[in-house]
């Protein structure tokens, strides 16, 4: 195996036929992809956008405008998640509320959630981190009794199963991302699903004003898509990261005022590859299960588990493991792992690095120690199609050497 080979943290197959479809796309591709998502996930409606962040911004703003109780301006989110979620909420002039998480599942700590729910809560965003689904049966009724909406952030979980249904379709609304590193990476784009008739007409009216992508934007995106397929090859990834591991800084500076929709090239590639998603996710899941079995011998390692359905609910909870999250007991071991994995040709993800309380102290109202611990001590291991038997053996050797 080449010494120049470096596994990227995440990757999705980008076949030549998908690139060709992206280049040849036209405006009809958008409606085709919208229908495919609506039918595949059996939802009431679906809307496409330039990014998941923009889709969330429009959704939150619209939900607030449709309510008569204008005091509902709080959005509860996990204290450990992508900072761009906060950026969308703040841009919509709502207030984010950071809720403690359960490190054994990365889901909400239910006591913390209960303490935050109230008459000012507009919505609760449940984030299925790393493609690990969270139980919603225990919190959905509580959220709706509080008069709030349940939004599922399935940006990293497209294809996972929650109580027998596709992630993103159990709550009132679902959020999906097609950016780099996502389950169905199209080099950009996002979508929301409307899973009931709640605010359906109002959301459709707002989305009617979204500008569809131009031919030039579509072609530019198609070439970005082709470049993504090249860059995420292990040999190319080493060249891109020749100076060693870096952690991309999450930016909250994106302009959400420009009302842009998805471009046809993204939609065309998405329509073509949607049928292949289950196969991609099956490969990810098998690799993750192999890694979990290997790492289970290390007492200083915690791997968040997929919660089981309640005893009277036989519907499955099935993860996709976009990445395999590993929580290390201390930061010293984490640094050693990152360095040794890098030398072994494995690029571990270090994700956000800080909890939202640290990133956005002005919105922090109390401490969330579990979220801080996860943010400081978590790494992710690749599970994608480039991971081979020798790569798994290298990961095993690295963990045994620490």
């Amino acid at each position: 195996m080449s010494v120049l080979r470096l596994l990227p943290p995440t990757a999705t197959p980008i076949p030549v036929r998908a690139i060709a479809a992206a280049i040849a796309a036209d405006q009809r591709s958008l409606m085709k992809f919208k229908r495919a998502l609506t039918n595949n996930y059996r939802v009431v409606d679906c809307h496409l956008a330039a990014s998941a962040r923009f889709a969330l911004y429009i959704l939150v703003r619209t939900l607030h405008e449709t309510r008569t109780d204008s005091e509902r301006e709080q959005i509860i989110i996990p204290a450990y998640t992508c900072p761009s979620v906060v950026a969308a909420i703040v841009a919509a002039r709502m207030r984010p509320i950071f809720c403690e998480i359960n490190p054994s599942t990365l889901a909400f700590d239910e006591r913390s959630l209960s303490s935050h729910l109230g008459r000012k809560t507009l919505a609760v965003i449940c984030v299925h981190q790393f493609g690990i689904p969270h139980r919603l049966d225990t919190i959905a009724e509580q959220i709706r009794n509080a008069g709030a909406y349940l939004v599922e952030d399935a940006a990293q979980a497209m294809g996972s199963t929650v109580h027998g249904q596709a992630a993103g379709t159990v709550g009132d609304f679902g959020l999906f991302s097609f950016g780099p590193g996502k389950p169905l990476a199209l080099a950009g784009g996002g979508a929301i699903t409307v899973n009931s008739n709640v605010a359906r007409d109002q959301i459709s009216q707002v989305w009617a004003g979204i500008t569809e992508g131009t031919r030039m934007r579509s072609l530019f995106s198609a070439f970005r898509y082709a470049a993504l397929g090249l860059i995420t090859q292990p040999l190319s990834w080493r060249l891109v990261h020749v100076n060693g591991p870096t952690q991309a800084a999450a930016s909250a500076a994106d302009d959400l005022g420009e009302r842009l929709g998805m471009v046809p090239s993204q939609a065309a590639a998405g329509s073509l590859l949607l049928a292949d998603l289950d196969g991609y996710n099956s490969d990810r899941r098998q690799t993750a299960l192999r890694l979990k079995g290997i790492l289970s011998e290390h007492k200083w390692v915690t791997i968040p588990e997929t919660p089981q359905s309640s005893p009277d609910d036989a519907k499955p909870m099935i993860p996709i493991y976009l990445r395999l999250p590993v929580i290390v007991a201390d930061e010293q071991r984490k640094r050693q792992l990152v360095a040794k994995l890098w030398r072994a040709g494995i690029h571990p993800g270090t994700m956000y690095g800080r909890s939202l309380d640290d990133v956005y102290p002005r919105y922090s109202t109390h401490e969330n120690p579990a979220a801080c611990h996860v943010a400081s001590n978590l790494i992710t291991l690749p599970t994608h199609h480039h991971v081979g038997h020798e790569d798994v053996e290298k990961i095993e050797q690295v963990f045994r050497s620490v």
Side-chain angles (χ1 to χ4, degrees), residues 21 66 109 173 195 231 285 318 380:
T66 60
D109 177 276
F173 307 95
N195 305 332
I231 290 171
R285 186 162 46 247
I318 304 175
T380 67

Side-chain angles (χ1 to χ4, degrees), residues 295-317:
L295 301 183
S296 62
E297 67 181 68
H298 302 290
K299 303 302 182 183
W300 47 273
V301 165
T302 300
I303 299 176
E305 292 293 332
T306 301
Q308 300 300 311
S309 297
S310 59
D312 57 344
D313 182 2
K315 298 175 182 176
M317 306 282 287

Side-chain angles (χ1 to χ4, degrees), residues 102-148:
N102 180 343
S104 67
T105 62
L106 302 181
F108 285 122
D109 177 276
E110 294 187 17
R111 288 187 180 180
S112 179
L113 178 62
S114 297
S115 69
H116 290 305
L117 281 170
R119 57 184 176 80
K120 292 187 177 182
T121 307
L122 176 65
V124 176
I125 300 178
C126 174
V127 182
H128 300 299
Q129 295 268 31
F130 311 117
I132 301 175
H134 302 319
R135 279 187 62 176
L136 300 179
D137 55 348
T138 56
I139 64 172
E141 185 176 359
Q142 185 180 9
I143 292 168
R144 288 163 183 157
N145 286 342

Side-chain angles (χ1 to χ4, degrees), residues 241-275:
H241 294 82
V242 67
N243 292 321
T246 58
Q247 181 174 331
S251 169
D254 287 5
D255 180 11
L256 294 174
E258 196 173 5
R259 302 166 65 84
L260 296 177
M262 177 179 279
V263 295
S265 58
Q266 295 164 349
S271 295
L272 185 66
L273 297 181
L274 189 59

